[in-house]
Amino acid sequence: MAGVSRFGEFSGKPTLSRLALASVVGNVLIVGTGGAVRLTKSGLGCPTWPRCTDESYVATAEMGVHGVIEFGNRLLTFALAAVVIAAVVAAWRQRPARRGLRWLSVGAAFGIPAQAVIGGITVLTDLNPWVVGLHFLASMAVIAAAYAFWRRTLEPDGPARPTVPAPLRALGWLTAGVAAAVLVVGTWVTGSGPHSGDSGAARNGLDPETISQVHADTVFLLLGLSIAAWFAFRAVGAPAGAVRAAGLLVLAELGQGLIGFVQYFTGLPVALVGAHMLGSCLVWLAALAVLWSTRERTAAPAVPPSQAQPEYAGTAH
């Protein structure tokens, strides 16, 4: 039946869920194209913002391939904005109204212009490595907002309840927190390495070997927590979705760790660095999925017709 989610309750038009999922995918693609900009040294392909040059909003032939790559990344932002705006409109037009879903759609949409501004600051500061790192982390925050919005479209509108004991919910939050820390330290590694986005861009001054070791240590901590969550969920008889989410997180981390080690010991080849950036998004989404799996929403109790409030009672005559 159209409009019925896999949870068995009305969750709004399927179009809304598709738009919300498209915003998640689009934000991940933005990270991928942003990585291509940096890895091809096209970070200053458009040397100013919001224009591409002082005279033009679009790349010119004189700017070459670097201008095309940087301008293409900017164009994708506009395409993503169109999807997000459509999702906001769909969420606010839903009947019956779902207030929490509406504000989640706004939160996911707000990240797009915020990211554009940070991207502009990145260009105007000549790819300052700390601002470049902030740009990436802001993408992770937007992905989290978009993911929450998408998952909410799949749920009924009733109250949330835990699916695992409180200590395991805390473990889910801790795992997500460490995953965020891994992302933060990863930007420090990137800021100390050779892929600056432009041959003249500065580096953050941190020792690459030392900060890479710190990054590896946080990854090992995350992997340990994720394995513990998988075993703990199985031990308490958690729903299959929670066990599966924890298992997928472990697999994502192992794959990402393999790419990380290979790229480190092979001199950071561009292709592997790009794959590692996309892998970061997948690990982050998997960590969010584990956190989300520790609770569920049940359908709101139906209000008997005799107790329902009329939308408009009119004026007595």
Side-chain angles (χ1 to χ4, degrees):
M1 182 186 299
V4 176
S5 76
R6 61 189 175 91
F7 294 92
E9 299 291 341
F10 181 78
S11 63
K13 296 180 180 179
T15 299
L16 178 58
S17 294
R18 296 190 187 105
L19 286 170
L21 179 58
S23 72
V24 176
V25 175
N27 277 291
V28 172
L29 289 177
I30 284 286
V31 173
T33 58
V37 169
R38 180 169 60 84
L39 295 171
T40 58
K41 299 187 181 299
S42 302
L44 295 178
C46 287
T48 189
W49 185 88
R51 295 173 182 258
C52 197
T53 70
D54 290 335
E55 294 79 24
S56 175
Y57 281 99
V58 301
T60 62
E62 293 78 9
M63 300 171 68
V65 66
H66 294 310
V68 172
I69 293 173
E70 166 64 7
F71 182 67
N73 185 54
R74 295 187 184 189
L75 280 182
L76 184 57
T77 300
F78 286 105
L80 177 59
V83 171
V84 170
I85 290 172
V88 172
V89 172
W92 282 76
R93 292 184 63 185
Q94 264 203 321
R95 295 292 181 273
R98 301 176 66 188
R99 188 171 182 178
L101 188 63
R102 287 177 169 182
W103 290 113
L104 276 174
S105 72
V106 172
F110 179 77
I112 305 303
Q115 265 292 70
V117 171
I118 297 173
I121 295 172
T122 300
V123 172
L124 296 176
T125 57
D126 295 327
L127 306 183
N128 180 289
W130 299 106
V131 181
V132 172
L134 177 62
H135 195 39
F136 175 80
L137 295 175
S139 289
M140 297 300 106
V142 176
I143 287 173
Y147 180 82
F149 173 43
W150 170 59
R151 290 296 299 260
R152 193 69 180 84
T153 65
L154 301 175
E155 296 180 328
D157 211 22
R161 69 174 185 86
T163 59
V164 296
L168 296 191
R169 285 218 72 192
L171 177 59
W173 279 104
L174 179 60
T175 302
V178 173
V182 168
L183 295 174
V184 172
V185 179
T187 65
W188 300 348
V189 175
T190 298
S192 69
H195 299 298
S196 61
D198 185 81
S199 57
R203 303 283 73 207
N204 60 22
L206 298 177
D207 177 62
E209 184 174 347
T210 300
I211 200 63
S212 294
Q213 183 61 56
V214 174
H215 182 57
D217 291 342
T218 56
V219 168
F220 284 129
L221 174 59
L222 175 60
L223 180 60
L225 290 171
S226 303
I227 294 173
W230 184 74
F231 277 111
F233 287 174
R234 288 171 57 89
V236 301
V243 177
R244 182 169 57 251
L248 289 175
L249 175 58
V250 172
L251 291 177
E253 290 164 356
L254 290 175
Q256 178 73 336
L258 177 62
I259 295 172
F261 276 111
V262 172
Q263 72 167 7
Y264 181 78
F265 290 108
T266 55
L268 302 177
V270 167
L272 287 181
V273 174
H276 199 56
M277 289 187 67
L278 289 176
S280 296
C281 297
L282 298 181
V283 170
W284 180 230
L285 286 170
L288 294 173
V290 169
L291 182 58
W292 206 270
S293 73
T294 62
R295 31 73 72 210
E296 67 179 3
R297 289 185 182 274
T298 55
V303 178
S306 60
Q307 298 179 19
Q309 297 294 323
E311 291 186 5
Y312 177 65
T315 304
H317 293 283

